[in-house]
Amino acid sequence: MKLCFNQATTLENSNLIKDLEYCEKHGYDFIEIRSMDKLPEYLEEHSIEELVTYFQTHHIKPLALNALVFFNNRDEEGYKEIISQFTEMLELGKKIGIKYIVAVPLVTEEKILKEDIKTSCLEVLTELSSLAEPYGIKIALEFVGHPKCTVNTFAQAYEIVEAVNRDNVGLVLDCFHFHAMGSNIEDLKKADSSKIFILHIDDTEDFPIGFLTDEDRLWPGQGAIDLDGILSTLKEIGFSDVVSIELFRPEYYQLEAEETIKKAKETTLNVVSKYFEIGSVGISR
């Protein structure tokens, strides 16, 4: 399994240049680039060609642009905006060589029927799939474990991905989100591992279902998530692609960026290496 760093982990104490430098130094294989803030910040003073050259001349490679946000159940104007954003991400992604674009479902106060959520997700993801196919880029749907997210459990997200039935549409399995709304490990046991594109590793304080927020995340292995259950199940079903550390812990933002990146790797390896050999398997799907 390959090791990846998600820039949310150093959201407030670093930038893309530093993240790349420290991830390269500490032996990460991939990085998930935040397309809503860290990449635009980088492009204020640097060109996309500079970023391309960096990846061509260093070990670390770009895994994903994170993220296309709130893609489903939008009004006509919002839908057009999503398509425009996605098209721009495809062009950027092709240049720098990403494998995935992470797509995040709508978070809203509005009560929307599950049938209408599924219908919208199917329609939009199918169109995004067709747009992405010529670029060789895949779409990774990330369910969010919060009551106000329209897709908030593994089972619901997996049902949508199965219904889309496209090779370039799969899932992000984030352990925090899996835990936060009580996703069922039995659903994961029945899943086709080829539908899971990215594993996000993290942990959390022990709050009840429905009350957890991103700031409750902890270093892997230091919280209440059944990481052993998730990782052993992933091994059983044949997943071995990439694990990406993603934390939003405010107190971790008070650390030096390099310390955060080093600690993130150490804690991830302590948990994941019980089930997978890190660095041994590439991403070929």
Side-chain angles (χ1 to χ4, degrees):
M1 185 181 287
K2 297 294 187 179
L3 181 64
C4 181
F5 182 79
N6 184 297
Q7 284 197 285
T9 309
T10 51
L11 181 60
E12 295 180 11
N13 60 340
S14 190
N15 56 43
L16 182 53
I17 292 175
K18 288 182 180 180
D19 285 346
L20 287 171
E21 175 188 349
Y22 296 139
C23 286
E24 178 76 10
K25 178 179 177 180
H26 291 283
Y28 285 80
D29 302 297
F30 291 102
I31 187 168
E32 285 187 80
I33 300 173
R34 283 181 62 91
S35 55
M36 66 281 284
D37 41 44
K38 296 303 182 182
L39 183 57
E41 177 188 71
Y42 173 89
L43 293 174
E44 289 176 3
E45 297 183 2
H46 303 272
S47 69
I48 197 69
E49 287 72 26
E50 288 178 74
L51 189 57
V52 170
T53 299
Y54 184 91
F55 286 127
Q56 289 174 343
T57 55
H58 292 77
H59 171 77
I60 193 166
K61 297 295 184 282
L63 181 74
L65 290 179
N66 194 324
L68 182 72
V69 178
F70 303 166
F71 69 88
N72 58 298
N73 296 95
R74 303 290 294 271
D75 58 20
E76 185 175 352
E77 183 178 351
Y79 173 72
K80 289 179 179 178
E81 182 180 346
I82 284 295
I83 298 301
S84 175
Q85 288 178 8
F86 187 71
T87 302
E88 291 177 9
M89 293 172 79
L90 288 172
E91 292 293 337
L92 281 171
K94 181 179 180 181
K95 289 180 181 178
I96 63 177
I98 64 161
K99 299 176 182 295
Y100 306 110
I101 291 175
V102 176
V104 176
L106 179 67
V107 177
T108 179
E109 298 281 348
E110 181 184 356
K111 294 171 69 174
I112 305 175
L113 292 171
K114 288 183 70 176
E115 180 181 358
D116 294 336
I117 293 168
K118 182 177 180 180
T119 297
S120 176
C121 286
L122 290 179
E123 291 175 353
V124 179
L125 287 172
T126 299
E127 179 164 1
L128 297 183
S129 168
S130 296
L131 291 171
E133 188 173 7
Y135 292 85
I137 293 173
K138 298 183 179 183
I139 303 154
L141 167 62
E142 181 170 13
F143 65 96
V144 175
H146 192 278
K148 294 179 182 178
C149 186
T150 50
V151 183
N152 58 23
T153 66
F154 177 84
Q156 184 188 10
Y158 189 81
E159 180 182 348
I160 289 166
V161 166
E162 274 201 312
V164 173
N165 194 27
R166 298 282 185 94
D167 289 341
N168 67 344
V169 178
L171 290 177
V172 176
L173 170 53
D174 185 303
C175 296
F176 173 84
H177 294 314
F178 190 93
H179 173 87
M181 283 296 291
S183 288
N184 193 329
I185 200 74
E186 295 301 319
D187 292 322
L188 182 57
K189 288 179 179 179
K190 294 181 287 186
D192 177 353
S193 66
S194 69
K195 302 286 188 185
I196 302 171
F197 291 165
I198 304 170
L199 170 64
H200 280 173
I201 194 81
D202 33 45
D203 217 323
T204 184
E205 295 185 86
D206 196 10
F207 292 113
I209 289 174
F211 284 87
L212 287 158
T213 59
D214 279 331
E215 65 181 15
D216 300 318
R217 297 187 188 213
L218 297 169
W219 304 114
Q222 297 187 6
I225 299 176
D226 181 15
L227 294 177
D228 287 319
I230 294 171
L231 292 168
S232 62
T233 299
L234 286 170
K235 186 174 181 65
E236 286 175 11
I237 66 174
F239 177 86
S240 62
D241 285 358
V242 60
V243 57
S244 182
I245 178 98
E246 185 187 40
L247 308 173
F248 290 85
R249 185 80 174 180
E251 66 193 69
Y252 297 167
Y253 295 148
Q254 305 306 310
L255 304 173
E256 292 295 328
E258 183 173 10
E259 183 180 354
T260 304
I261 287 169
K262 183 180 179 182
K263 181 77 170 180
K265 179 181 179 180
E266 290 172 352
T267 53
T268 297
L269 291 183
N270 284 343
V271 171
V272 177
S273 61
K274 291 186 288 184
Y275 302 95
F276 298 95
E277 184 177 348
I278 300 297
S280 63
V281 179
I283 300 174
S284 58
R285 292 174 182 160

